[in-house]
Amino acid sequence: MIDAATITIAIASGKGGTGKTTLSTNMAAFIAEREAVVLADLDVEEPNSGLFFRAEPVHQEVNYKAIPQWDESKCTLCGICTKACNYHAVIRLGPSIVVFPELCHSCYACSELCPEAALPMVQKKTGILSEFRTGNLHFIESRLDIGEEQAVPAIAKTKKYAAEKHPKVRLTLYDSPPGTSCPVIEAVRDADLVILVTEPTPFGLHDLKLAVETVKVFGIPFGVVINRYGTGNKEVDEYCHQEQIPVLARIPDSRRIAELYSAGKLIYREIPEIREILEEILNKAITITKGGRK
Amino acid sequence: MKIAFTASGTSWESKIDPRFGRAEFLVIYDEANGTLSSIDNSSVKNEAHGAGTATAQKIFEISPDVLITGNGPGDHASTALRHSKMKILVNAHDMTLKQAYEQYQKGLLNEF
């Protein structure tokens, strides 16, 4: 079925709630019936793919990010650090330099530019990475601690962990965060293919366009899956046709699917039609990745 | 006493800007000499993150005795402002600076 070396497919969307997790979890479980597969839930602010698997935990570790720590004894209050920080995570308040760890993007600028070396970088816990296994399916997720704002380092770490732990597994799926901001970019940037899940509504189309523009910047091959097909209007179809974007599948709108999802069940196991759709998506996806980056 | 306002303009007739971090202007009234001065804070609009802490640093450098604003500073900004002893008064949105100052004198503004 899969003859390329290894393939990473990021399942993303502009709009939230279009069916990324439904597709990711069903696709992963479907593939696992035949061969090993890795699914990484990169929506680290609210990972939920794990709800669909009764998997055994096999590993857990703490995620960290680097933040500056003020050394009062060395500081001359020159203020270079506060000007260096693009995110106002380091500010000068009278006789103190105050660091806001949640705002820090771990860029090291303040630390490197401090003439007195008064802002050494230290490790701060941001959450937990967990790996689970059920049969052929290796499921990895990272979960940010409450109040933690920086998703990107946790996403990068999760991808790295998945790649290093399972270098020989041919197919890796990423359940990406929604939107088009930094976390999404980190999640999709080195994928071989991005599947954009959308719905045939004006909101779905609006956010799909933004997602398409984002993915195009990186030249990553991509295709669209239209979920809840049969509702809304034809504009998403028309847009994909005009832009020559491959539509990998149209998943029909169905109350039964919504009910199974809400009960934490995998829909393809209950609805044979979905099995065929998954096969179709997978075959088309693999064909597209053979074309490589543009 | 030095009173700072988050404002959408620079005069007594300007409205209070209800936002703290992204306030258009910071207006300062110095009761000792009766002068009204202002700082243009509009460049903070371009900041995706950290508007609250950036504005907090500016307020800190002004070091007013009282800050009058609308919605009140967010978590990061209020953490920053707690390093000072200034009194923070909120819910002055929909008022002009003049009205807000009068309300403050009557003790009618809520403390944050």
Side-chain angles (χ1 to χ4, degrees):
Chain A
M1 177 183 65
I2 298 161
D3 53 17
T6 59
I7 296 176
T8 300
I9 299 175
I11 295 161
S13 74
K15 187 180 175 299
T18 53
K20 288 181 298 300
T21 298
T22 307
L23 185 60
S24 304
T25 53
N26 280 274
M27 188 109 110
F30 176 68
I31 295 164
E33 289 182 353
R34 301 183 256 196
E35 64 173 290
V37 60
V38 175
L39 171 63
D41 192 343
L42 301 183
D43 191 0
V44 300
E45 289 171 273
E46 41 185 351
N48 62 350
S49 284
L51 297 172
F52 297 85
F53 307 113
R54 323 274 172 283
E56 295 297 317
V58 293
H59 179 75
Q60 211 165 49
E61 65 185 60
V62 173
N63 286 337
Y64 295 97
K65 75 172 185 182
I67 58 159
Q69 191 175 53
W70 184 49
D71 182 346
E72 190 177 356
S73 67
K74 291 182 181 167
C75 181
T76 60
L77 294 168
C78 70
I80 288 174
C81 54
T82 68
K83 291 185 187 81
C85 184
N86 258 340
Y87 305 98
H88 306 291
V90 182
I91 62 174
R92 183 176 56 196
L93 300 174
S96 307
I97 297 296
V98 181
V99 175
F100 289 83
E102 292 85 4
L103 294 174
C104 175
H105 284 55
S106 308
C107 76
Y108 286 68
C110 61
S111 188
E112 297 283 327
L113 292 172
C114 175
E116 310 299 330
L119 283 167
M121 298 299 275
V122 297
Q123 298 291 316
K124 176 184 182 286
K125 175 176 175 281
T126 64
I128 298 280
L129 178 150
S130 311
E131 177 172 5
F132 302 85
R133 179 165 185 189
T134 172
N136 275 332
L137 173 60
H138 304 277
F139 173 65
I140 300 156
E141 67 161 36
S142 279
R143 192 171 286 267
L144 282 186
D145 288 342
I146 290 169
E148 193 55 50
E149 294 175 26
Q150 299 308 326
V152 171
I155 294 170
K157 161 81 185 301
T158 312
K159 291 195 313 187
K160 188 164 179 272
Y161 176 89
E164 287 175 0
K165 185 81 186 285
H166 302 286
K168 295 205 169 110
V169 174
R170 284 192 291 177
L171 204 53
T172 296
L173 305 180
Y174 295 156
D175 185 3
S176 305
T180 51
S181 61
C182 299
V184 180
I185 287 164
E186 182 59 35
V188 306
R189 65 198 296 174
D190 47 16
D192 299 301
L193 173 80
V194 179
I195 296 179
L196 296 172
V197 187
T198 188
E199 59 184 28
T201 63
F203 285 130
L205 176 61
H206 177 271
D207 292 356
L208 173 64
K209 286 179 180 171
L210 295 176
V212 166
E213 285 171 33
T214 306
V215 173
K216 277 186 174 168
V217 170
F218 293 94
I220 311 168
F222 65 98
V224 165
V225 167
I226 311 177
N227 194 10
R228 294 194 197 97
Y229 198 72
T231 54
N233 58 36
K234 286 273 169 204
E235 287 178 12
V236 169
D237 268 307
E238 287 162 11
Y239 168 74
C240 290
H241 180 72
Q242 277 164 22
E243 298 291 319
Q244 298 178 311
I245 296 167
V247 176
L248 307 179
R250 295 171 177 86
I251 302 174
D253 183 49
S254 145
R255 186 177 174 89
R256 176 99 177 103
I257 292 175
E259 283 172 356
L260 289 167
Y261 181 84
S262 66
K265 291 187 175 155
L266 293 166
I267 57 175
Y268 81 93
R269 288 189 184 157
E270 315 279 335
I271 307 177
E273 192 191 345
I274 300 297
R275 194 176 274 275
E276 288 162 30
I277 289 174
L278 291 172
E279 185 77 61
E280 186 190 352
I281 295 172
L282 197 57
N283 288 338
K284 286 185 184 169
I286 289 162
T287 307
I288 293 172
T289 58
K290 284 179 186 155
R293 289 201 174 207
K294 289 173 191 106
Chain B
M1 295 276 267
K2 218 153 73 167
I3 325 281
F5 303 87
T6 58
S8 51
T10 59
S11 78
W12 280 115
E13 297 313 315
S14 306
K15 285 262 180 161
I16 292 284
D17 193 328
R19 303 164 303 174
F20 176 77
R22 295 177 190 281
E24 291 281 332
F25 293 93
L26 303 173
V27 175
I28 305 102
Y29 178 55
D30 192 339
E31 287 180 318
N33 54 25
T35 55
L36 198 64
S37 58
S38 65
I39 291 172
D40 188 341
N41 193 46
S42 58
S43 64
V44 87
K45 258 189 255 163
N46 302 324
E47 305 288 351
H49 304 278
T53 50
T55 302
Q57 175 157 343
K58 285 182 200 166
I59 289 281
F60 212 91
E61 280 157 15
I62 297 163
S63 72
D65 302 286
V66 178
L67 168 69
I68 297 177
T69 182
N71 303 332
D75 280 356
H76 295 316
S78 50
T79 302
L81 293 175
R82 252 178 253 130
H83 283 79
S84 81
K85 292 196 181 84
M86 81 185 72
K87 190 189 267 189
I88 303 170
L89 300 173
V90 292
N91 292 341
H93 45 278
D94 298 330
M95 297 179 199
T96 63
L97 300 195
K98 192 160 181 248
Q99 288 163 340
Y101 181 62
E102 286 164 4
Q103 295 287 307
Y104 152 69
Q105 284 182 310
K106 290 178 194 159
L108 294 175
L109 293 179
N110 301 330
E111 200 159 337
F112 181 62

